[in-house]
Structures are given as C-alpha cells and as structure tokens.
Amino acid sequence: MKSFIYTLTSLSLLEFLILVVCFYFYIQQFFFGDYMNELYERNGNPVDNDDDYIDDHKTSKFTDLFNDYHHMSGLGYAFLMFLAILCLFIDFVSMLSFAIVYLCHLCRRTCCKCKKCCSYTSLIFCIIFSIPYIIYAANARSKIDLPDEEIFCFDSDFNEKTRKNINFMKLRRIILITGVSLVYVSYTVRFVLLCVFNKKLIIVDENATQVAVYVDANNNVNNNNGNIGDDNKINNNNNNNIDNINTLNQVQVLTTTNDDRANGNK
C-alpha cells in the first residue's frame, strides 16, 4: 500500500506542476504590449489617442495572435488571468488535501474515516477546474493569417522580432496542448488506481479497537477466574481423597487390633 500511496501523491504533484507550466505559458500572450505598440506606429496607427486608432485589416491579423492593447483591453486580460489563477488555486487545494490525507495514512490509519470518499471528491474537483485550461489550449493561436510578404514587410530588426514572437506562440500552443493532455492522462491513471486499490486501504476505527481490547481483557480476567476455580476444585478433591485414605487407614488399624485381641483370648 505504500507504493500505491506514493504513486498517487506523486501523480498529484506532477499534475500541479504541469498546470503551473501551462498557466505560465497561457499568460504570456498578454505581454506583447511593447511589440504591438511598435507595430501600431510602423503601420501608421496612433497609440497615444484611442479615438484616432484605426484597426485596419493587417493590424487586426496581428492582434488575433498577440492581442489588442487598446480600448480598455487590459481589464479583460486581467479577468482572464484572475480566472486562470483561481482555477489553479482550487486545483492546488484539492491536490494538497488529497496528498495530505493519504500521506497521513502511512503514520496513522485513523486520521480520516472518509478518506476513500475524499480521494474521489478531490479528483473530481481537479478535473472540473482544469477544464478552462482545455479551452485555453484549444483556442491558442500560433500563426498570423497573412501572407509572409505582408507579415515581414518591415525592416530586418522588426521582422526578426516578429519571427521570434511567432515561434514562441507556436511553442506555447504545443506546450499548452501537451500539458493539458498529460494532466488528463494522469487524472485517468489516478482514477483507475483508486478504483483498483482504494478498496484495499485499511482504515482502523479507534473506538472499535478500544472496545475489542476491553472485551479481550474481560475475557482474560474471566478465564483466569475460571482457572482459579478449577484449581480450587482440584485442591478440594485432593483433600477429600486424602481424608478418605486417612479414614481407611484408621479402619484398617482398628480391624487389626480387634483381630489381635481375639487371637489373644484364644
């Protein structure tokens, strides 16, 4: 059972670490503000006054990948980041409670009588609150929907930045999809292990143990009293036998004496 518990807790830790990596790469899409501001300027779109901003076709394709940084867009990004942090925090609490309950079982098997139910509950919470990461991975973009001559139509330095950012977004999408897939594979493995081995998890009831010890002690006392009574009976029987032997000996002595007297008279 130790191997079973260590495996489950290791899977929980691995799932959380993968989700942390996915969270990091998810929020990276909101940190292209300087690059997009430079793009706005190079493309003739003012960045100081939102009222004069013109979202032409070319710029909109860039914003599809690197996001828009005008018209109070920061509030929307902050909300998405908060949602991702909240889901990550709930997953962390669920995984931590799962690990604590099962690791405590190695030291004390009575730490939680409903730990089998808790294990399934924490796993369900992890599965539900990891769903947003599936959505993030599915909606992750990795390219600009424009011909290369329109994408790389600026000077070499800016084109190099664009190429580097596009490659990063491709890597980001791969990591998000792979990470979420690994997390749900781990959830599946953990569920199968729980179904197979959870029923073998021995949970000791302290009250029942105390009652059993008390009953055993009483039985031992009664048995000892019974043995003492038996010993007394044996001693009484022995004493009775001794008395019978003494009586028999006295009768024999009296009989011998009477016989001697009768012979003497003759």
Side-chain angles (χ1 to χ4, degrees), residues 38-91:
E38 187 175 354
L39 174 69
Y40 297 147
E41 292 179 353
R42 291 176 178 273
N43 204 40
N45 304 108
V47 295
D48 295 330
N49 189 351
D50 286 341
D51 294 335
D52 296 332
Y53 173 73
I54 300 175
D55 187 12
D56 59 12
H57 174 73
K58 183 176 181 179
T59 305
S60 65
K61 296 300 181 181
F62 275 82
T63 57
D64 288 341
L65 180 61
F66 301 113
N67 293 302
D68 186 7
Y69 297 87
H70 287 85
H71 307 297
M72 303 296 292
S73 58
L75 293 177
Y77 301 155
F79 173 76
L80 293 175
M81 291 176 65
F82 172 77
L83 180 62
I85 293 174
L86 179 62
C87 293
L88 186 64
F89 176 76
I90 295 175
D91 282 333

Side-chain angles (χ1 to χ4, degrees), residues 64-176:
D64 288 341
L65 180 61
F66 301 113
N67 293 302
D68 186 7
Y69 297 87
H70 287 85
H71 307 297
M72 303 296 292
S73 58
L75 293 177
Y77 301 155
F79 173 76
L80 293 175
M81 291 176 65
F82 172 77
L83 180 62
I85 293 174
L86 179 62
C87 293
L88 186 64
F89 176 76
I90 295 175
D91 282 333
F92 172 73
V93 172
S94 300
M95 295 173 186
L96 183 63
S97 62
F98 177 87
I100 289 176
V101 167
Y102 271 78
L103 288 176
C104 286
H105 185 78
L106 295 176
C107 302
R108 186 184 180 193
R109 295 184 178 183
T110 59
C111 60
C112 181
K113 297 178 182 178
C114 59
K115 63 181 64 175
K116 294 181 180 180
C117 179
C118 292
S119 63
Y120 292 106
T121 302
S122 63
L123 179 58
I124 291 172
F125 270 94
C126 291
I127 292 173
I128 293 175
F129 286 95
S130 297
I131 291 177
Y133 286 90
I134 298 178
I135 299 174
Y136 300 152
N139 293 329
R141 296 177 177 270
S142 60
K143 63 180 181 179
I144 300 174
D145 191 15
L146 288 172
D148 288 346
E149 56 270 14
E150 294 187 36
I151 297 174
F152 304 106
C153 63
F154 304 101
D155 59 78
S156 59
D157 291 338
F158 189 78
N159 289 339
E160 185 62 27
K161 290 181 182 178
T162 302
R163 188 174 289 105
K164 181 179 178 180
N165 290 338
I166 292 175
N167 290 335
F168 175 80
M169 295 301 282
K170 290 179 179 179
L171 176 64
R172 170 182 172 273
R173 185 172 186 270
I174 293 173
I175 291 176
L176 288 177

